[in-house]
Amino acid sequence: MSTQETFVIVGAGMAGAKAAEALRAEGFLGRIVLIGEEPERPYERPPLSKGFLQGTVEREKIFVHSKSWYTKNKIELRSSTKATGIDTSAHRVDCARGGSVYYDKLLLTTGASPRPLTISGSDRHRVYYLRRIEDSQQLKFALSVSSRVAIIGAGWIGLEVAAAARDAGLDVTLLERGEIPLQHILGAEVAGIFATLHTDHGVDLRCNTQVRRITGDNPRQGTGVELSDGTVIDADLIVAGIGAVPNTALAQAAGLELENGIKVNEHLCTSDPDIYAAGDVANAFHPLLGLHIRSEHWFNALSQPAVAARSMLGQNAEYSEVPYFFTDQFGLSMEYCGYMAPAGYEEVLFRGDKETLEFMVFWLKEHRVIAGMNVNIWDQTEHIKALIRSALPVDTEQLANIDVSLETILMNAQASTK
């Protein structure tokens, strides 16, 4: 392979670091420049709302690679560097400092940013978001000196922060605009499990609520949340977890095709043949599902970069991994595989004991498994993915029977088609 080519990666998070790693693993001998705005070297984000926030995971453990790895593998890591523009005709990335960098191939792993509150008072102090390592460090300290927290948004981030705050002994009020947390993701049959989990652990969960403004005793300090009905929730700190927005400004200015992120094909190539995208920012065509999806979960940041790297090297690689994410809350550890398209599901099937929080759930359509979740039951993820990939009708009585293995169910489904 040529030692003269330069591959540039903009976005020094986990996806960017894994892409650089994959390029070297594939034998690329050219120049690799990894550009990131943050002063830190690339790190994993899930611990920021889990172990690192709770103090059970050390800071050094969250980094993707050691400092020496970048030197050893000849990766030019440019931290604290903001990419300000892409000149596609000149194959150049412009930076706020350090000048410009020429590229033969460019990979965008610019991630996403927390969706900001737009209500009155949202610019006050002690209103926190959680995305970067410094956010988690600041929130960890705030939790240690506070007694009451109000969390706006009961998605995965809101729920995980609520669990961390309760474990730290704080009074927690969790505000959700929908009927129940996670209903749009898991459906009412399963979402209620997480709602009950939190209320059983003392979280004051308030659904169907609209937040009007952040209150305060002075113009700068936030001391509570006022709801649309006039109720005021007093709080020492406020956490906003109302979703994320893909960081597409660079791509948009460069004229790349956008659609809920940077639109890419199954090879993770953008509308420009020399530019690729991966991770949270990429809305990728999924050959298994037959549609574009954008996932803001760790697994995509871990897995997509290797496909992008091979594609950049001219190999025929495509990303077809079954979507996956996980969470840990109050002793409930969960893994979820699959994707429920807008058309939804027809049946929800439970397997195991919901009362002891050791069970599995399957979402089915036309007796085919389209998604599955294992709770405090391990080593089942690959079997669930295999059922999803097969797209075969399964025996639902067997699927509900914990004594019948998932491998057997799949073999029976395959045999019935012969």
Side-chain angles (χ1 to χ4, degrees):
M1 292 186 181
S2 173
T3 60
Q4 304 302 314
E5 288 185 301
T6 296
F7 285 8
V8 175
I9 304 168
V10 177
M14 181 175 180
K18 297 303 286 186
E21 177 185 314
L23 285 169
R24 289 298 186 228
E26 291 293 328
F28 179 64
L29 302 176
R31 183 186 183 197
I32 299 176
V33 182
L34 178 55
I35 299 170
E37 290 186 35
E38 296 187 57
E40 308 289 348
R41 68 185 190 273
Y43 56 86
E44 299 189 34
R45 298 192 190 277
L48 303 187
S49 60
K50 299 180 180 73
F52 182 72
L53 180 63
Q54 294 171 317
T56 59
V57 173
E58 297 178 1
R59 190 175 189 275
E60 193 61 27
K61 296 291 185 182
I62 73 172
F63 293 102
V64 181
H65 300 110
S66 66
K67 292 180 180 178
S68 62
W69 182 89
Y70 296 93
T71 302
K72 179 180 177 181
N73 288 277
K74 297 182 179 179
I75 310 296
E76 296 179 35
L77 175 58
R78 299 191 180 185
S79 302
S80 301
T81 302
K82 181 179 176 61
T84 56
I86 301 168
D87 187 327
T88 57
S89 60
H91 276 59
R92 188 185 72 230
V93 176
D94 297 322
C95 301
R97 70 181 187 89
S100 301
V101 184
Y102 171 85
Y103 67 84
D104 290 284
K105 299 290 183 182
L106 171 64
L107 175 62
L108 299 177
T109 55
T110 47
S113 296
R115 188 181 301 279
L117 292 171
T118 57
I119 56 176
S120 173
S122 57
D123 57 345
R124 293 176 184 270
H125 288 311
R126 298 187 71 78
V127 176
Y128 293 82
Y129 297 90
L130 186 55
R131 179 67 183 179
R132 298 186 172 192
I133 190 170
E134 69 246 36
D135 299 331
S136 188
Q137 290 173 322
Q138 292 170 4
L139 183 56
K140 184 193 303 186
F141 175 76
L143 291 173
S144 72
V145 297
S146 302
S147 60
R148 301 168 302 180
V149 58
I151 302 171
I152 303 172
W156 295 118
I157 291 293
L159 291 170
E160 289 174 358
V161 172
R166 283 299 296 148
D167 286 343
L170 278 72
D171 292 333
V172 178
T173 302
L174 183 58
L175 304 170
E176 167 60 32
R177 66 184 303 175
E179 293 182 7
I180 193 169
L182 306 177
Q183 183 169 352
H184 65 295
I185 299 173
L186 302 177
E189 301 91 339
V190 181
I193 293 169
F194 287 88
T196 300
L197 176 71
H198 278 256
T199 55
D200 284 351
H201 283 83
V203 174
D204 180 5
L205 174 61
R206 304 193 186 190
C207 298
N208 294 310
T209 60
Q210 295 286 335
V211 175
R212 178 182 293 167
R213 67 187 181 100
I214 305 299
T215 62
D217 296 331
N218 63 63
R220 295 184 60 80
Q221 189 75 31
T223 59
V225 177
E226 182 181 322
L227 307 182
S228 58
D229 63 3
T231 302
V232 175
I233 310 297
D234 293 328
D236 303 313
L237 69 149
I238 297 124
V239 180
I242 57 172
V245 180
N247 296 325
T248 59
L250 270 178
Q252 182 175 19
L256 302 182
E257 184 176 359
L258 304 182
E259 183 182 304
N260 182 31
I262 303 173
K263 192 174 183 180
V264 296
N265 62 20
E266 64 270 32
H267 310 296
L268 304 182
C269 186
T270 71
S271 53
D272 183 308
D274 292 325
I275 303 179
Y276 297 75
D280 292 359
V281 76
N283 185 12
F285 180 78
H286 200 290
L288 177 65
L289 302 171
L291 45 77
H292 280 80
I293 62 171
R294 188 177 67 83
S295 175
E296 296 170 356
H297 295 292
W298 165 87
F299 186 71
N300 262 22
L302 175 71
S303 305
Q304 281 189 345
V307 173
R310 293 197 296 271
S311 296
M312 292 165 76
L313 292 169
Q315 301 176 25
N316 185 26
E318 66 177 31
Y319 188 73
S320 59
E321 289 283 349
V322 174
Y324 166 92
F325 63 86
F326 71 96
T327 189
D328 297 296
Q329 303 168 31
F330 295 125
L332 183 154
S333 294
M334 175 275 276
E335 297 175 293
Y336 174 99
C337 305
Y339 178 77
M340 286 183 278
Y345 56 92
E346 296 172 348
E347 181 182 1
V348 176
L349 190 149
F350 287 87
R351 171 187 175 99
D353 191 346
K354 287 193 291 182
E355 299 302 318
T356 61
L357 294 182
E358 293 184 5
F359 64 93
M360 303 175 73
V361 186
F362 297 93
W363 290 263
L364 298 99
K365 186 171 185 179
E366 298 177 347
H367 301 292
R368 294 169 170 84
V369 176
I370 59 173
M373 182 174 84
N374 49 297
V375 176
N376 294 333
I377 295 178
W378 305 113
D379 302 322
Q380 298 299 312
T381 300
E382 291 307 315
H383 301 311
I384 296 172
K385 287 183 177 182
L387 284 170
I388 295 169
R389 286 193 196 97
S390 76
L392 293 173
V394 298
D395 186 318
T396 54
E397 288 188 7
Q398 290 184 354
L399 193 61
N401 187 346
I402 195 73
D403 294 323
V404 182
S405 71
L406 298 184
E407 303 102 303
T408 298
I409 293 169
L410 178 58
M411 287 190 294
N412 289 343
Q414 292 169 333
S416 67
T417 64
K418 294 180 180 179

